[in-house]
Amino acid sequence: MRRKMPTEAEKILARGCGRARTQAGEIVEVEVDRAMVHDNNAALVIENFGRISGASVKHPNRAAFFIDHHSPSTTVKATLHHDLMRRFTKEHGIERFHDCGCGISHVTMLEEDLARSGEIVVGTDSHTTGEGARGAFATGIGATEMAAVLVTGRIWFRVPETICVIFEGTLPKDTCARDLMNCVLSRFGPEGANYRSVEFQGDGIDALSFDDRIMCCVMSMEMGAKNAMFVQHPDQHPDPDAEYVRTERFDLNGIEPNVAVPSSPTNAWPLSEIETQKIRINQAFIGSCTGGLLSDIEKAAGILRGKKVAKGVRLLVIPASKKIYGETLSLGYIEALHDAGAIIGSPACGACGGHDVGILAKGEVCVANSPRNMKGRMGAGGAIYLGSAATVAASAMAGYVTAYKSDSNGGYD
Amino acid sequence: MNRCWKLGDNVATDELLPFQYMTLTKPSELGLHILENVRPGLAAKLSPGDILICGTNFGCGSSREHAPLALKGAGIGAVVAKSYARIFFRNCVNIGLPAVVCPSASEEIEEGESATLNLTAGKIETHSGKKFTFEPFPPFLMEYLLNGGLINTLNQSRNI
């Protein structure tokens, strides 16, 4: 029998620990290529850094600090943490400090080429998996561990088994990549990829935009993935002989619009079944690292141009980065959304984390294209439905959770 | 003997520690708010060393280390689960909170029972005589747990 070939995660971690190869299950210590810290966890990182004897930042040029959760801050405590970050980065020569309004770390890092193919990236955010869109091994870690990474430049990993997710065919009209990813999450469940690496493959990925790929990699975390990747580098093609622990195929032709109902991102239901229930919404949110990308805002603006948000619905639109905000302004998307009745927020995580704007009152319902809908996510007692930008825009117009139908001639009541 | 408290499957860190408390950093302050939305009043009932018995994929979702810090701050001495979400597990061992995998104990121990957990021996025993064994932590993680976390262990090796 032919010897199985290493998976992409095994290859990248082998390079990280200076060996020819590694195998799933081994524990290895690797050099970190990029370490991201954001304001939600920075105070704990800095406190723990202070507990390390003789601590200094080993590679200031590999660290990147972001203010993206409380941006701009709305609480005194968050402001103090921001101040701490500004002083820490200055004191330790960390030049990559992204202040309020820069946008979300994951998206901004990809824009600024801070997560390259084959690199090992760690971040103090579970959705760091999103940085795998260009083929980096990117994963989330906690604050204490990040403090140690800043000092040592290294981290231990158990080399993960790899799951191969194969997309075949083409998505039907009015179906988005988010609908597809909701189906992937539904098949795997909340723990289906726990501790494992996810590789996306198949001819269906050719039609996925870079924005779609970011969304797929971020959302993989919701089935537990350690990291997720679209392998891009010419000498890093997915290997048909690689040792995958599980391979799942998805026929894109058969995917229909759907939403994840409360309270797990893996609870996907077809919209054809949900919309008949006419679930009234109080808030619609287009934003976050899975939903505030240029293509999301373009889609929402296209649907809402010349139309109005339903009475009693707050539509909140937050571009994921400063760059995206600028593009949506110059392309007229923001104007169209503003005219439709949207509230536009400063580039940041926004309602997804509930830290600054868009908190739900008890009993309120939100439809969003953000990544999470766990209990209490946007406020205690709120309920969140997760779908595509098209679904959020159509629901905002209708006033209840519904799918976008391009041939409906504006029949939203 | 320490009292056991029981939770179900897929409890997210959003539920363990709601977002509005994430600007707190002291374990004792964080501990006042554990599971506030899903098990209100629990924090006030805990005693030091109590054990949390959980289902599968415990601590899924957000990477917030505030969640295990809150458990520790509330007095939880150990967590026993069928399985853990990856980042939560790492966070636990990094702050010196034992996160034990023992599916049979998770199934059979009821809320309100008292139990003793022996970390190094890999044993759990309830007051009613139920006995469970779990696979001991790999040596380097056991060191983290016995030293009170990653930072203390790192400091020992740095000799500065």
Side-chain angles (χ1 to χ4, degrees):
Chain A
M1 199 176 94
R2 210 154 33 141
R3 190 182 181 198
K4 283 286 186 183
M5 298 301 289
T7 67
E8 199 55 31
E10 288 168 339
K11 285 186 213 168
I12 295 175
L13 292 177
R15 185 192 61 76
C17 64
R19 283 170 37 187
R21 71 180 286 173
T22 58
Q23 267 187 319
E26 280 185 285
I27 296 202
V28 294
E29 197 183 31
V30 296
E31 278 283 321
V32 168
D33 296 300
R34 190 73 60 191
M36 184 281 286
V37 178
H38 65 52
D39 58 326
N40 228 15
N41 295 312
L44 274 180
V45 174
I46 294 169
E47 268 184 29
N48 278 293
F49 182 90
R51 291 175 52 214
I52 300 174
S53 316
S56 62
V57 178
K58 186 161 189 184
H59 301 294
N61 58 338
R62 295 186 194 172
F65 277 54
F66 287 81
I67 292 180
D68 60 4
H69 276 62
H70 308 256
S71 175
S73 71
T74 53
T75 69
V76 174
K77 278 215 161 98
T79 304
L80 293 174
H81 292 177
H82 292 174
D83 186 47
L84 193 62
M85 289 173 78
R86 292 186 188 104
R87 284 187 281 123
F88 183 85
T89 49
K90 197 171 177 188
E91 186 186 337
H92 294 279
I94 296 166
E95 290 177 10
R96 290 193 178 89
F97 171 61
H98 295 69
D99 212 318
C100 293
C102 65
I104 305 170
S105 56
H106 314 307
V107 178
T108 310
M109 281 178 70
L110 289 163
E111 284 173 355
E112 297 189 359
D113 202 21
L114 300 180
R116 296 178 182 175
S117 174
E119 285 188 341
I120 296 170
V121 178
V122 294
T124 59
D125 190 283
S126 58
H127 290 134
T128 301
T129 54
E131 277 90 302
R134 208 173 271 131
F137 180 96
T139 191
I141 63 172
T144 297
E145 194 150 39
M146 179 57 82
V149 166
L150 290 176
V151 172
T152 66
R154 300 173 74 79
I155 191 168
W156 70 269
F157 284 127
R158 181 183 171 281
V159 180
E161 289 83 10
T162 297
I163 289 171
C164 182
V165 173
I166 298 177
F167 293 153
E168 290 166 332
T170 317
L171 287 171
K173 187 165 82 86
D174 294 343
T175 303
C176 303
R178 180 58 183 264
D179 298 309
L180 165 65
M181 201 54 208
N182 280 357
C183 292
V184 173
L185 294 169
S186 172
R187 191 181 297 179
F188 280 92
E191 202 185 14
N194 201 8
Y195 296 100
R196 289 170 173 174
S197 175
V198 171
E199 278 184 36
F200 292 101
Q201 297 186 21
D203 59 17
I205 67 171
D206 294 340
L208 297 184
S209 67
F210 189 59
D211 284 1
D212 293 336
R213 294 174 187 217
I214 297 173
M215 181 276 300
C216 288
C217 289
V218 172
M219 289 309 296
S220 294
M221 199 285 143
E222 301 309 325
M223 53 186 185
K226 183 173 201 159
N227 77 300
M229 285 186 283
F230 283 86
V231 181
Q232 293 202 327
H233 199 266
D235 62 5
Q236 287 182 330
H237 278 306
D239 197 315
D241 284 332
E243 193 164 14
Y244 297 113
V245 69
R246 180 175 173 185
T247 300
E248 290 287 335
R249 292 173 187 277
F250 291 84
D251 175 15
L252 274 51
N253 303 293
I255 303 292
E256 58 179 304
N258 58 74
V259 287
V261 306
S263 307
S264 167
T266 61
N267 285 344
W269 284 79
L271 269 161
S272 53
E273 291 178 37
I274 298 292
E275 59 193 1
T276 56
Q277 300 171 32
K278 301 241 169 153
I279 298 161
R280 306 301 303 186
I281 58 168
N282 308 91
Q283 179 167 288
F285 172 46
I286 301 215
S288 83
C289 51
T290 56
L293 305 167
L294 182 64
S295 56
D296 297 311
I297 295 172
E298 178 184 21
K299 188 85 188 170
I303 292 169
L304 284 159
R305 181 170 282 114
K307 311 271 177 43
K308 290 287 178 196
V309 170
K311 205 174 170 188
V313 175
R314 314 181 288 271
L315 170 62
L316 180 57
V317 177
I318 304 185
S321 73
K322 191 176 174 68
K323 180 166 179 268
I324 294 170
Y325 195 11
E327 286 167 343
T328 55
L329 278 170
S330 62
L331 290 163
Y333 303 155
I334 293 294
E335 189 180 1
L337 290 164
H338 166 77
D339 289 346
I343 304 157
I344 314 297
S346 151
C349 301
C352 179
H355 298 290
D356 42 29
V357 292
I359 296 170
L360 302 176
K362 194 175 176 184
E364 283 198 322
V365 176
C366 178
V367 60
N369 61 353
S370 55
R372 290 208 170 115
N373 62 349
M374 285 80 156
K375 281 179 192 161
R377 180 71 185 174
M378 289 186 192
I384 307 164
Y385 292 76
L386 300 173
S388 70
T391 296
V392 179
S395 302
M397 266 201 292
Y400 59 89
V401 181
T402 190
Y404 171 66
K405 299 167 191 78
S406 57
D407 52 3
S408 75
N409 199 23
Y412 297 99
D413 57 23
Chain B
M1 285 282 180
N2 302 97
R3 189 160 182 196
C4 296
W5 302 86
K6 207 155 178 183
L7 297 171
D9 295 338
N10 300 309
V11 176
T13 49
D14 272 294
E15 296 167 74
L16 284 172
L17 199 272
F19 68 83
Q20 63 266 39
Y21 305 113
M22 286 196 61
T23 47
L24 302 176
T25 55
K26 285 197 183 92
S28 57
E29 290 179 7
L30 287 161
L32 300 175
H33 304 289
I34 62 160
L35 294 152
E36 200 169 87
N37 296 331
V38 285
R39 286 285 299 266
L42 179 65
K45 295 177 189 160
L46 297 179
S47 302
D50 279 2
I51 300 171
L52 210 50
I53 309 286
C54 315
T56 57
N57 202 27
F58 188 64
C60 60
S62 165
S63 64
R64 61 189 70 172
E65 193 170 291
H66 307 67
L69 271 183
L71 294 181
K72 201 177 172 186
I76 295 292
V79 185
V80 176
K82 287 185 187 170
S83 61
Y84 296 90
R86 191 187 69 85
I87 303 175
F88 181 85
F89 176 81
R90 286 182 84 107
N91 283 342
C92 283
V93 294
N94 285 329
I95 65 167
L97 176 66
V100 168
V101 178
C102 187
S104 55
S106 168
E107 282 284 335
E108 293 173 37
I109 295 179
E110 303 295 337
E111 173 143 330
E113 284 197 79
S114 296
T116 302
L117 188 148
N118 186 325
L119 190 63
T120 46
K123 287 180 178 169
I124 304 169
E125 190 172 348
T126 68
H127 68 295
S128 57
K130 295 176 198 165
K131 289 180 184 171
F132 308 94
T133 56
F134 58 88
E135 201 171 320
F137 286 82
F140 79 106
L141 292 185
M142 184 67 94
E143 213 182 322
Y144 285 12
L145 293 172
L146 298 177
N147 284 335
L150 162 66
I151 303 287
N152 292 349
T153 308
L154 184 62
N155 282 342
Q156 282 180 9
S157 66
R158 281 169 68 77
N159 291 322
I160 293 173

